[in-house]
């Protein structure tokens, strides 16, 4: 693409296949966003399917066999199949995610089960399906696995989740590697060593490795180096064949942010692993870095309210049920008008949703071109991870549809919810 000035939407935040159409409108995967909005309605998640595939391949190249897509970032059967087809394993963190991955046809041995409080039912479903790995998080879980084993004799391969005592600088809600964490066996308090001893002696599990996940939206690959260094003496002492360093590499959400690529993250980890003399097979579990930047969310503007001298509120037909990240973490996003992708964004408005809450803000300082009117489409890039998957049905707004686009064609992978869906579980 050429002809963009500095003030235009930062094109690197758009999906790889983004291009400007003959009328100055945005195309993704060769599809005009306005046509997609017309056909599938709004709000609408539009994923660049080729980008999802290329990020999965990049992860496999960077980490090799065993690298898993963290499905909590975004999951549906099409996504599960896509990640599987591109050679990734799937990391699931609940019985529900396990169910979707299995129903997509992903072989159980390519699935890894996580969770800090897995139920008997979740453990049993995973064990009887024959998942590849269960990442054991606590002594209570070891108790539970032993009880279940006594009943059926099934022996799953497990990793132990270790909390390395590394504070990756990210939002405290997504920081998970510090000693004060609900996750895993603390390295510094000696729980990690006790857990290894216990798992090795237990007939209920086959201990094959260790796991650590230091957090999410981590911008500095060096924190992974610190985690590897912190873990190395213990990993080497245990001499287990596998080590997963979890997920967590960050992505850029707003102009000017810089994040390492999956490839760069992989090389930093590989160098640290070599320097520390770790011989275990090292893998990872990226979620956000696979899915986030592949999607944009398209909304329709319904109301524009100017408060003189204060600000202009632009209300769209979605809200924090399709993207809770701004409300949860104060996250920023960019905005653009799909009909005028190259227009300089000279005005600042507040993009809000339609929920009965003042905290229902999608973009607090949204830059838009002049001339935005009711009926316009407005879109936010980098919404492919932890948006729809973290969403809710608050105000009983039906959840948006999801389309995958590629080579000029769109396919619906999750249809929009209907009012009937809202009654599907209501048995009163
Ligand atoms: C959330 C999570 C991931 C994925 O994190 P991203 O930031 O999306 O890459 C991987 N592993 C575990 C254990 C997680 O909890």
């Amino acid at each position: 693409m050429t002809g963009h000035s500095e003030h235009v939407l930062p094109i690197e935040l758009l999906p790889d296949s983004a291009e400007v159409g003959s009328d100055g409108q945005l195309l993704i995967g060769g599809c005009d966003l306005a046509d997609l909005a017309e056909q599938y309605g709004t709000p609408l998640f539009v994923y660049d399917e080729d980008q999802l595939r290329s990020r999965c391949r990049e992860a496999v190249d960077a980490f090799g066999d065993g690298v898993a897509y963290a499905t909590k970032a975004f999951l549906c059967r099409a996504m599960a199949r896509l990640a599987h087809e591109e050679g990734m394993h799937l990391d699931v963190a609940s019985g529900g995610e396990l169910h979707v991955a299995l129903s997509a046809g992903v072989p159980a041995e390519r699935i890894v089960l996580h969770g800090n409080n897995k139920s008997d039912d979740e453990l049993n479903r995973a064990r009887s399906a024959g998942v590849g790995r269960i990442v054991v998080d606590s002594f209570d879980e070891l108790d539970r696995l032993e009880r279940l084993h006594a009943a059926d004799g099934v022996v799953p391969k497990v990793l132990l989740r270790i909390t390395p005592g590394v504070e990756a600088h990210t939002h405290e809600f997504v920081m998970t590697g510090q000693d004060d964490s609900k996750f895993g066996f603390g390295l510094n308090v000696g729980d990690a060593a006790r857990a290894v001893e216990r798992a090795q002696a237990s007939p209920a599990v086959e201990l094959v490795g260790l796991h650590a996940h230091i957090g999410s939206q981590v911008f500095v690959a060096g924190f992974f180096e610190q985690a590897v260094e912190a873990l190395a003496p213990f990993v080497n002492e245990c001499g287990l064949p596998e080590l997963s360093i979890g997920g967590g590499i960050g992505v850029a959400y707003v102009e000017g942010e810089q994040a390492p690529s999956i490839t760069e993250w992989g090389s930093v980890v590989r160098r640290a692993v070599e320097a520390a003399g770790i011989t275990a097979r090292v893998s990872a579990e990226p979620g956000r870095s696979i899915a986030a930047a592949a999607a944009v969310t398209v909304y329709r503007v319904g109301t524009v309210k100017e408060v003189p001298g204060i600000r202009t509120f632009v209300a769209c037909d979605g809200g924090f049920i399709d993207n809770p990240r701004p409300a949860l973490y104060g996250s920023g996003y960019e905005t653009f008008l799909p009909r005028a992708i190259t227009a300089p964004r000279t005005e600042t408005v507040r993009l809000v949703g339609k929920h009965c809450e003042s905290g229902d803000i999608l973009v607090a300082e949204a830059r838009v071109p002049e001339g935005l009117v009711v009926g316009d489409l407005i879109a936010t890039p980098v919404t492919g991870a932890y948006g729809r998957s973290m969403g809710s049905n608050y105000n009983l707004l039906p959840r948006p549809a999801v389309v995958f686009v590629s080579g000029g064609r769109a396919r619906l992978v999750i249809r929009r919810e209907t009012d009937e869906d809202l009654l599907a579980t209501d048995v009163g």
Side-chain angles (χ1 to χ4, degrees):
M1 265 176 302
T2 53
H4 293 281
S5 81
E6 282 292 288
H7 307 288
V8 174
L9 184 92
I11 220 71
E12 72 269 20
L13 290 178
L14 292 174
D16 293 348
S17 68
E19 56 184 325
V20 181
S22 50
D23 297 327
Q25 84 280 30
L26 180 68
L27 310 181
I28 297 177
C31 297
D32 187 324
L33 289 185
D35 293 344
L36 296 174
E38 191 62 40
Q39 186 175 352
Y40 299 104
T42 51
L44 181 67
F45 285 91
V46 180
Y47 280 82
D48 178 339
E49 179 170 350
D50 298 342
Q51 175 164 342
L52 289 172
R53 290 186 185 280
S54 88
R55 294 300 182 278
C56 289
R57 287 196 294 269
E58 186 181 348
V60 173
D61 286 345
F63 288 97
D65 189 37
V67 62
Y69 168 61
T71 63
K72 72 181 196 274
F74 165 63
L75 181 62
C76 59
R77 287 188 290 187
M79 183 64 207
R81 264 182 228 116
L82 181 154
H84 173 59
E85 284 163 10
E86 299 303 339
M88 294 192 83
H89 291 217
L90 268 71
D91 146 1
V92 300
S94 71
E97 289 176 357
L98 174 64
H99 178 66
V100 172
L102 288 173
S103 81
V106 176
E109 67 268 18
R110 312 274 298 178
I111 297 177
V112 186
L113 177 69
H114 272 283
N116 72 304
N117 181 24
K118 306 174 189 77
S119 67
D120 279 13
D121 179 58
E122 287 170 323
L123 287 171
N124 254 344
R125 281 154 72 189
R127 291 163 74 257
S128 61
V131 300
R133 301 286 180 272
I134 294 176
V135 182
V136 175
D137 208 284
S138 67
F139 290 110
D140 288 321
E141 186 176 344
L142 282 171
D143 290 345
R144 218 166 282 160
L145 285 165
E146 288 182 348
R147 236 186 313 111
L148 297 172
H149 172 259
D152 63 14
V154 173
V155 182
K157 288 195 167 75
V158 304
L159 307 180
L160 297 178
R161 179 157 176 173
I162 308 298
T163 311
V166 169
E167 302 202 358
H169 293 167
T170 180
H171 194 287
E172 68 166 315
F173 291 178
V174 291
M175 222 166 86
T176 54
Q178 70 283 13
D179 291 330
D180 180 7
S181 167
K182 75 167 180 171
F183 297 103
F185 299 99
L187 186 62
N188 298 330
V189 294
D191 279 350
R194 282 188 284 276
V196 167
E197 202 174 306
R198 177 149 173 219
Q200 276 174 333
S202 173
V205 296
E206 180 187 345
L207 178 63
V208 295
L210 302 174
H211 173 282
H213 171 71
I214 57 172
S216 202
Q217 187 58 355
V218 177
F219 277 126
V220 182
F223 286 122
F224 292 91
E225 209 173 328
Q226 282 180 27
V228 169
E229 283 166 9
L231 283 165
F234 185 65
V235 167
N236 288 334
E237 191 189 324
C238 293
L240 294 164
E242 294 179 24
L243 171 67
S244 169
I245 51 108
I249 201 71
V251 303
Y253 283 96
V254 294
E255 224 173 332
E257 266 178 340
Q258 295 290 334
S261 67
I262 295 172
T263 305
E264 287 160 349
W265 177 42
S267 353
V268 167
V269 170
R270 235 194 341 267
R271 272 202 307 275
V273 161
E274 277 163 23
I278 293 174
T279 53
R281 180 190 83 168
V282 174
S283 65
E285 297 165 339
R288 189 190 310 271
S289 52
I290 301 287
V296 305
T297 311
V298 184
Y299 302 99
R300 197 171 294 280
V301 173
T303 305
V304 177
K305 174 185 173 177
E306 270 184 60
V307 186
I310 299 184
R311 72 174 84 250
T312 298
F313 290 93
V314 171
C316 69
D317 51 1
F320 72 173
I321 75 155
D322 56 70
N323 188 1
R325 294 190 65 260
L328 267 175
Y329 316 120
S331 311
Y333 284 85
E334 298 288 343
T335 40
F336 64 89
L337 301 190
R339 67 169 164 79
I341 187 64
T342 58
R345 298 177 302 151
T346 51
E347 306 199 341
T348 301
V349 300
R350 176 158 290 181
L351 180 64
V352 297
K354 58 182 283 158
H355 297 285
C356 308
E357 274 231 18
S358 293
D360 177 24
I361 296 169
L362 285 167
V363 186
E365 303 286 322
R367 291 194 296 148
V368 293
E370 239 174 73
L372 178 153
V373 291
V374 168
D376 265 336
L377 295 176
I378 188 165
T380 50
V382 203
T383 54
Y386 304 108
R388 200 181 185 287
S389 72
M390 266 195 174
S392 73
N393 270 123
Y394 182 49
N395 284 139
L396 295 188
L397 241 60
R399 287 180 227 227
V402 179
V403 293
F404 280 11
V405 292
S406 171
R409 280 200 309 275
R411 65 181 174 116
L412 185 65
V413 298
I414 305 179
R415 68 160 169 78
R416 183 173 310 286
E417 280 179 356
T418 63
D419 287 351
E420 274 312 300
D421 291 324
L422 298 175
L423 290 173
T425 55
D426 184 330
V427 296

